[in-house]
Amino acid sequence: MRMMAGNLFIILFIGIFTLFFMETTKEMSSAQSLQTVLDDAVELEQITLHSNSLILDRDGNTISDIFSAENRIYLPYNEIPDMFKHAFLAAEDQSFFDHPGFDMTGIARAFIVNIQHQSIEQGGSTITQQLARNLYLTHDQSYERKISELLYSYHIEQVMEKEEILELYLNTVYFSNGVYGIEAASHYYFNKTAHELTLAEIAFLSSVPNNPAHYNPLTNSDATHERKEWILAKMKEQDYISNDDYEEALDKKISLSNFEKSDEYPDYITYVYYELEQLIAKEEGYMQQLKSANNDEARQDIEMKLQERVQHLLASGITVDTALDPNVQSHAVKTINNRLSSTDIQGAVSVIDHEASEIVAMTGGTSYEKFNFHRGYQAYRQPGSAIKPLLVYAPLIDTTKMSSSSLIDAGPIQRGQYEPQNFGGAVYGKVTLEEALKNSYNTAAVRILDMVGIEASFNYLDHFDFQKITSNDHVLPAALGGLSEGVSVHELTQAYTIFATNGIYTSPKAIRGVYDMDGELLYEWPRKETEVWTNDTVNEMRKMLGKVITEGTGRRARFSTSGYLGGKTGTTNDYYDLWFVGSSNRYTTGLWIGNDNPSSLYQQSQNHIHTQLWRDIMAGIH
């Protein structure tokens, strides 16, 4: 009795509703339009759909698919294959382009079926009604929801074109297993684009949304195939396909090829996320707000808003184009892991194409997992003598015009309570700058910093990307890498690119550009060139850094090449950190080795592990 009353109510409502909107359109001059009434009664919220984002390598290959709750790849109407449109129109709504949002014939037919079964077996829903349900309403099987659905559907038809409605529907319809829209479904079930699918595959996929649980291809493919045949019959009935097409599609074998989410190169991808946040912060003013924040609470609030902005962008379907070279990245990771993963020692590498000023590879530690602590850019350690070319020797040559053959006093030096010692307590006299650098004499480095002036030398470092060097570091021990917080291996590698670019510094980046779903450029790093040193200074430094590898402390880093090689070792007190940073004709590569909880690497230093690892990495990418 209750079911009968409900059925009678829905018929009565449909009749009244139909008469209401027909009569209203005739009396526009004397009463409010139905559209005005609906504008007040039915609120269509702004539609925000999540869409997958991508991170690409330098060749345009996907290295990371980014999606969370909704796996969706949005397709605009003109990119949706016609056969997908025809399949859904034939199966779900044959009068779509003629009705005002609901189909009276379909509703009546569903009503008769429901009367026969004394339950709500069919809903008679149009594509517009299904869209209204997917975007604004629930999926409750009730007549109250059905009435709301009719109102929303009619309103949608008044404010959207038919093509817009079909586009939204085909991008929001659910295909089971967390997949929304035809493009994501094509990728997920067949590992193809929607345009690459056969007619049989299109009909197969189009079967799922009618009842995603029942027609789930991964758990109930027999039912999916049955509905596929029904859809093909409907498409033939509506003249969307010929009889030959129908017969061929029926015989076509369906082979699922489940999509595996791309998430390669976790070391590099983790850094890309960091750089993306920095890029957005710079371009949208968050960085300036953080600098101007008066307290920690204000700073945390700004950082939270920045994080929300980044997540919003990642959910909008952006593409992040990067400079990653997969071969270089894989080689660097493999080399580090092969040498260190069986030990407690950690290591990190940064590889930069200094001609393009692009980061082509970066590692975060042995056996690195995505989003863990990243030793490439988050570990700040004392650089030891690896800082000398930047802070000591280049400033000296640039300010005095001395050359690599100029003499410097490497004898004992004491300034106040500070009296640096050379390795093994050795004492030297007058030596050339080349000899002092290639053999890493500490007394010479401290004397040079004192000669040039601490402030003058640190002014040069201001041009680079060191984040944690402050005025507290403006002391003589800095000549030997004695910094309060230190530097990351990536920062030091970035700075060393100056020796390969004629004294012009351009901050190397991983991200080439960030694009929206339509391919429009959203963000890119501005290319800013800063002249730090003269070309003459760089030429002298390159000669001396070359001697470090051929005759000095970096001899184990040498490998056979017809081009240039130059670099500098670094060892901190008690052998806690081992460094080598240097360049070839194309790449500048930095390597750090140490323990997360600092402890002596004396034996590893004696075995020249850092210079040999640098050699193995660089030799493998040339």
Coordinates of all heavy atoms in Angstrom, one line a residue, residues 570-609:
G570 N 86.8 17.4 0.3 CA 86.5 18.0 1.6 C 86.5 16.9 2.7 O 85.8 15.9 2.5
T571 N 87.1 17.2 3.8 CA 87.1 16.2 4.9 C 86.9 17.1 6.2 O 87.6 18.0 6.4 CB 88.3 15.4 5.1 OG1 88.6 14.7 3.8 CG2 88.2 14.4 6.2
T572 N 85.9 16.7 7.0 CA 85.7 17.5 8.2 C 86.4 16.9 9.4 O 87.0 15.8 9.3 CB 84.2 17.6 8.6 OG1 83.7 16.3 8.7 CG2 83.5 18.3 7.4
N573 N 86.4 17.6 10.5 CA 87.1 17.2 11.7 C 86.6 15.8 12.1 O 85.4 15.4 12.0 CB 86.8 18.1 12.9 CG 87.6 19.4 12.7 OD1 88.5 19.6 11.9 ND2 87.1 20.4 13.5
D574 N 87.6 15.0 12.6 CA 87.3 13.6 13.0 C 86.7 12.7 11.9 O 86.1 11.7 12.2 CB 86.4 13.6 14.2 CG 86.9 14.3 15.4 OD1 88.2 14.1 15.7 OD2 86.2 15.1 16.0
Y575 N 86.9 13.2 10.6 CA 86.4 12.4 9.5 C 84.9 12.1 9.5 O 84.5 11.1 9.0 CB 87.2 11.1 9.4 CG 88.7 11.3 9.3 CD1 89.5 11.3 10.4 CD2 89.3 11.4 8.0 CE1 90.9 11.5 10.3 CE2 90.7 11.6 7.9 CZ 91.5 11.6 9.1 OH 92.8 11.8 9.0
Y576 N 84.2 13.1 10.0 CA 82.7 12.9 10.1 C 82.1 13.0 8.7 O 81.0 12.3 8.4 CB 82.1 13.9 11.0 CG 82.2 13.6 12.5 CD1 81.8 14.5 13.4 CD2 82.8 12.4 12.9 CE1 81.9 14.3 14.8 CE2 83.0 12.2 14.3 CZ 82.5 13.1 15.2 OH 82.6 12.9 16.5
D577 N 82.7 13.8 7.8 CA 82.1 14.0 6.5 C 83.1 13.9 5.4 O 84.2 14.5 5.6 CB 81.4 15.4 6.4 CG 80.4 15.6 7.5 OD1 79.2 15.2 7.3 OD2 80.7 16.2 8.5
L578 N 82.8 13.3 4.3 CA 83.7 13.2 3.1 C 83.0 13.8 1.9 O 81.8 13.4 1.7 CB 84.1 11.7 2.9 CG 84.8 11.0 4.0 CD1 85.1 9.5 3.6 CD2 86.0 11.6 4.5
W579 N 83.7 14.7 1.2 CA 83.1 15.4 0.1 C 83.9 15.3 -1.2 O 85.2 15.2 -1.1 CB 82.9 16.8 0.4 CG 82.1 17.2 1.6 CD1 82.4 17.2 2.9 CD2 80.7 17.7 1.5 NE1 81.4 17.6 3.7 CE2 80.3 18.0 2.8 CE3 79.8 18.0 0.5 CZ2 79.1 18.5 3.2 CZ3 78.6 18.6 0.8 CH2 78.2 18.8 2.1
F580 N 83.3 15.3 -2.3 CA 84.0 15.7 -3.5 C 83.0 16.3 -4.5 O 81.9 15.8 -4.7 CB 84.6 14.5 -4.2 CG 85.6 14.9 -5.3 CD1 86.9 15.2 -5.0 CD2 85.2 15.1 -6.6 CE1 87.8 15.6 -5.9 CE2 86.1 15.5 -7.6 CZ 87.4 15.8 -7.2
V581 N 83.4 17.5 -4.9 CA 82.5 18.3 -5.9 C 83.4 18.7 -7.0 O 84.5 19.2 -6.8 CB 81.9 19.5 -5.2 CG1 80.9 20.2 -6.2 CG2 81.3 19.2 -3.9
G582 N 82.9 18.4 -8.3 CA 83.7 18.8 -9.4 C 83.0 18.8 -10.7 O 81.8 18.4 -10.7
S583 N 83.6 19.1 -11.8 CA 83.0 19.3 -13.1 C 83.7 18.6 -14.2 O 85.0 18.4 -14.1 CB 82.9 20.8 -13.4 OG 82.1 21.5 -12.5
S584 N 82.9 18.2 -15.2 CA 83.5 17.8 -16.5 C 83.0 18.9 -17.5 O 82.6 19.9 -17.1 CB 82.9 16.4 -16.9 OG 81.5 16.5 -17.1
N585 N 83.1 18.6 -18.8 CA 82.7 19.6 -19.7 C 81.2 19.9 -19.6 O 80.8 21.0 -19.9 CB 83.1 19.2 -21.2 CG 84.5 19.3 -21.5 OD1 85.2 20.0 -20.7 ND2 85.0 18.7 -22.5
R586 N 80.4 18.8 -19.3 CA 79.0 19.0 -19.3 C 78.3 19.0 -17.9 O 77.4 19.8 -17.6 CB 78.3 17.9 -20.1 CG 76.8 18.0 -20.1 CD 76.2 16.9 -21.0 NE 74.7 17.1 -21.1 CZ 73.9 16.3 -21.7 NH1 74.4 15.2 -22.4 NH2 72.6 16.5 -21.7
Y587 N 78.8 18.2 -17.0 CA 78.2 18.0 -15.7 C 79.0 18.6 -14.5 O 80.2 18.5 -14.5 CB 77.9 16.6 -15.4 CG 76.9 15.9 -16.4 CD1 77.3 14.9 -17.2 CD2 75.6 16.3 -16.5 CE1 76.5 14.3 -18.1 CE2 74.7 15.8 -17.4 CZ 75.2 14.7 -18.2 OH 74.3 14.2 -19.1
T588 N 78.3 19.1 -13.6 CA 78.9 19.4 -12.2 C 78.2 18.5 -11.2 O 77.0 18.4 -11.1 CB 78.7 20.9 -11.8 OG1 79.4 21.7 -12.8 CG2 79.3 21.1 -10.4
T589 N 79.0 17.7 -10.5 CA 78.5 16.7 -9.6 C 79.1 16.8 -8.3 O 80.3 17.0 -8.1 CB 78.8 15.3 -10.2 OG1 78.1 15.1 -11.4 CG2 78.3 14.2 -9.2
G590 N 78.2 16.8 -7.3 CA 78.7 16.8 -5.9 C 78.3 15.5 -5.1 O 77.2 15.0 -5.4
L591 N 79.2 15.1 -4.3 CA 79.0 13.9 -3.5 C 79.3 14.1 -2.1 O 80.4 14.7 -1.7 CB 79.9 12.7 -4.1 CG 80.0 11.5 -3.2 CD1 78.8 10.7 -3.3 CD2 81.2 10.6 -3.7
W592 N 78.4 13.7 -1.2 CA 78.7 13.7 0.3 C 78.5 12.3 0.8 O 77.6 11.6 0.4 CB 77.7 14.6 1.0 CG 77.7 14.4 2.5 CD1 78.5 14.9 3.4 CD2 76.8 13.6 3.2 NE1 78.2 14.5 4.7 CE2 77.1 13.6 4.6 CE3 75.7 12.8 2.8 CZ2 76.4 12.9 5.5 CZ3 75.0 12.0 3.8 CH2 75.4 12.1 5.1
I593 N 79.4 11.9 1.8 CA 79.3 10.6 2.5 C 79.5 10.9 3.9 O 80.3 11.7 4.4 CB 80.4 9.7 2.0 CG1 80.2 9.3 0.5 CG2 80.4 8.4 2.8 CD1 81.3 8.5 -0.1
G594 N 78.6 10.2 4.7 CA 78.7 10.4 6.2 C 77.7 9.5 6.9 O 76.9 8.8 6.2
N595 N 77.6 9.6 8.2 CA 76.6 8.9 9.0 C 75.6 9.9 9.5 O 75.9 11.1 9.7 CB 77.2 8.2 10.2 CG 78.0 7.0 9.8 OD1 77.5 6.1 9.2 ND2 79.3 7.0 10.1
D596 N 74.3 9.5 9.5 CA 73.3 10.4 10.0 C 73.6 10.9 11.4 O 73.4 12.0 11.8 CB 71.9 9.7 10.0 CG 71.4 9.5 8.6 OD1 71.8 10.3 7.7 OD2 70.6 8.6 8.4
N597 N 74.1 10.0 12.3 CA 74.6 10.3 13.6 C 76.1 10.4 13.4 O 76.8 9.3 13.3 CB 74.2 9.3 14.6 CG 72.7 9.3 14.9 OD1 72.1 10.4 15.0 ND2 72.1 8.1 15.0
P598 N 76.7 11.6 13.2 CA 78.1 11.7 12.8 C 79.1 10.8 13.6 O 79.0 10.7 14.9 CB 78.4 13.2 13.1 CG 77.1 13.8 12.9 CD 76.1 12.9 13.5
S599 N 79.9 10.1 12.9 CA 80.9 9.3 13.5 C 82.1 9.2 12.5 O 81.9 9.5 11.3 CB 80.4 7.9 13.9 OG 79.9 7.2 12.7
S600 N 83.2 8.7 13.0 CA 84.4 8.7 12.1 C 84.4 7.8 10.9 O 83.9 6.7 11.0 CB 85.7 8.4 13.0 OG 86.8 8.3 12.2
L601 N 84.8 8.4 9.8 CA 84.9 7.6 8.6 C 86.4 7.5 8.2 O 86.8 7.6 7.0 CB 84.1 8.2 7.4 CG 82.6 8.3 7.6 CD1 81.9 9.0 6.4 CD2 82.0 6.9 7.8
Y602 N 87.3 7.4 9.2 CA 88.7 7.4 8.9 C 89.1 6.4 7.9 O 89.9 6.7 7.0 CB 89.5 7.3 10.2 CG 91.0 7.2 10.0 CD1 91.7 8.3 9.8 CD2 91.6 5.9 10.1 CE1 93.1 8.2 9.6 CE2 93.0 5.8 9.9 CZ 93.7 6.9 9.6 OH 95.1 6.8 9.4
Q603 N 88.7 5.2 8.1 CA 89.1 4.1 7.2 C 88.6 4.3 5.8 O 89.3 4.1 4.8 CB 88.6 2.7 7.8 CG 89.2 1.5 7.0 CD 90.7 1.5 7.1 OE1 91.3 1.6 8.2 NE2 91.4 1.4 6.0
Q604 N 87.4 4.8 5.7 CA 86.8 5.1 4.4 C 87.6 6.2 3.7 O 87.8 6.2 2.5 CB 85.3 5.4 4.5 CG 84.4 4.3 4.8 CD 84.5 3.9 6.3 OE1 85.0 4.6 7.1 NE2 83.9 2.7 6.7
S605 N 88.0 7.2 4.5 CA 88.8 8.3 3.9 C 90.1 7.7 3.4 O 90.6 8.1 2.3 CB 89.0 9.3 5.0 OG 89.9 10.3 4.5
Q606 N 90.8 6.9 4.2 CA 92.0 6.3 3.7 C 91.9 5.5 2.5 O 92.8 5.4 1.7 CB 92.6 5.4 4.9 CG 93.0 6.2 6.1 CD 93.9 7.4 5.8 OE1 95.0 7.2 5.4 NE2 93.4 8.6 6.1
N607 N 90.7 4.9 2.3 CA 90.4 4.1 1.1 C 89.9 4.9 -0.1 O 89.6 4.4 -1.1 CB 89.4 3.0 1.4 CG 90.0 1.9 2.4 OD1 91.2 1.7 2.4 ND2 89.1 1.3 3.1
H608 N 89.8 6.3 0.2 CA 89.4 7.2 -0.9 C 88.0 6.9 -1.4 O 87.8 7.0 -2.6 CB 90.4 7.3 -2.0 CG 91.8 7.5 -1.5 ND1 92.3 8.7 -1.1 CD2 92.8 6.6 -1.3 CE1 93.5 8.6 -0.7 NE2 93.9 7.3 -0.8
I609 N 87.1 6.5 -0.6 CA 85.8 6.1 -1.0 C 85.0 7.2 -1.7 O 84.3 7.0 -2.7 CB 84.9 5.5 0.2 CG1 83.6 5.0 -0.4 CG2 84.7 6.6 1.2 CD1 82.8 4.3 0.7

